[in-house]
Amino acid sequence: SATKARVGDRIHIVDDDPGLSASLRMLLESASYRVETYASAREFLAQEFAGAAERSCLITDVQMPDMDGLALQGELVRRGLAIPVIVMTGHADVPRAVKAMKAGAIDFLEKPFEDTALLDSVARALEAASRAGDRTGRAQQARERLASLTERERQVLELLVAGNANKVIAYELAISPRTVELHRARVMDKMAAGNLADLVRLRLAVEDAAG
């Protein structure tokens, strides 16, 4: 569940769709966040950023003209700006969202998403902004969960986090889509993942720890 906004929490929205930006702004302002919107990545990067006095996070779209969400994220890393990033994506772009998480994004949201999903994601991002440590504990937990999977569940997990749809996984593993659904449900359950982004996060925690 979404935690309360703290005074000074600031959310930056970078999206070339003014309608979406406006509705996200309304939602976040109703939850007491301070919100800034930018029509492009370059407009956002032209800003002067306050130091660590405020917690902030960035919500951006994977698909944008000129400079997309992945490129923006890369530029933030290059400049040493540790702003947690949440990427929004259409269904066909899940592989790119996975790539974004590998590059350090905190979460991805598949459009259309529920208001609560966005608020939870923002709360998590801000929490990460104020608690950059404790990765080893998370990695250990993820490793134990991963170890509980059967060989087949592990295969399904790897194909899922690579961004494959159920029917592609069914074809790859020569099993029925229905069987994939059953395995997928068990993987989510054993990994204690609420959605695909959770699953990717857990998988990456194990990978990071392995160095």
Side-chain angles (χ1 to χ4, degrees):
S1 65
T3 49
K4 287 296 289 171
R6 288 204 318 219
V7 177
D9 284 347
R10 188 188 293 271
I11 316 298
H12 303 280
I13 299 169
V14 180
D15 201 299
D16 58 317
D17 175 346
L20 180 63
S21 286
S23 66
L24 291 178
R25 177 196 276 274
M26 271 177 61
L27 170 65
L28 290 161
E29 285 180 344
S30 72
S32 306
Y33 290 111
R34 290 190 302 158
V35 182
E36 312 281 345
T37 58
Y38 311 86
S40 73
R42 297 195 188 283
E43 190 187 318
F44 173 70
L45 290 166
Q47 301 302 301
E48 289 296 318
F49 292 101
E54 61 173 27
R55 294 194 306 174
S56 65
C57 83
L58 168 66
I59 302 171
T60 188
D61 203 309
V62 161
Q63 286 278 31
M64 284 190 296
D66 189 21
M67 187 181 200
D68 66 14
L70 273 173
L72 168 57
Q73 189 186 349
E75 184 57 25
L76 289 175
V77 171
R78 200 181 67 74
R79 294 184 184 194
L81 292 166
I83 301 173
V85 178
I86 298 166
V87 291
M88 298 178 292
T89 168
H91 184 63
D93 272 330
V94 169
R96 294 183 75 190
V98 170
K99 207 167 156 190
M101 285 187 77
K102 284 190 170 165
I106 210 110
D107 214 350
F108 73 83
L109 294 165
E110 266 186 87
K111 292 189 269 190
F113 45 79
E114 300 284 327
D115 290 356
T116 50
L118 177 74
L119 292 170
D120 284 347
S121 191
V122 164
R124 247 201 318 272
L126 292 169
E127 198 48 47
S130 57
R131 187 210 65 239
D134 193 34
R135 285 168 63 156
T136 44
R138 283 204 304 275
Q140 179 57 32
Q141 198 177 44
R143 248 198 318 274
E144 284 163 11
R145 290 177 192 171
L146 205 57
S148 74
L149 301 182
T150 64
E151 176 78 16
R152 179 63 94 197
E153 286 163 359
R154 184 72 187 259
Q155 290 169 329
V156 170
L157 168 91
E158 297 302 340
L159 288 165
L160 273 173
V161 300
N164 292 296
N166 284 6
K167 58 176 182 288
V168 176
I169 298 173
Y171 177 78
E172 286 280 333
L173 299 177
I175 55 180
S176 74
R178 177 80 191 112
T179 306
V180 172
E181 274 169 37
L182 292 170
H183 284 311
R184 182 178 179 146
R186 276 204 290 272
V187 166
M188 296 300 239
D189 193 41
K190 286 184 178 179
M191 294 298 289
N195 54 36
L196 188 54
D198 280 349
L199 202 58
V200 173
R201 196 178 303 109
L202 287 159
R203 182 69 191 83
L204 292 176
V206 174
E207 222 167 88
D208 287 351

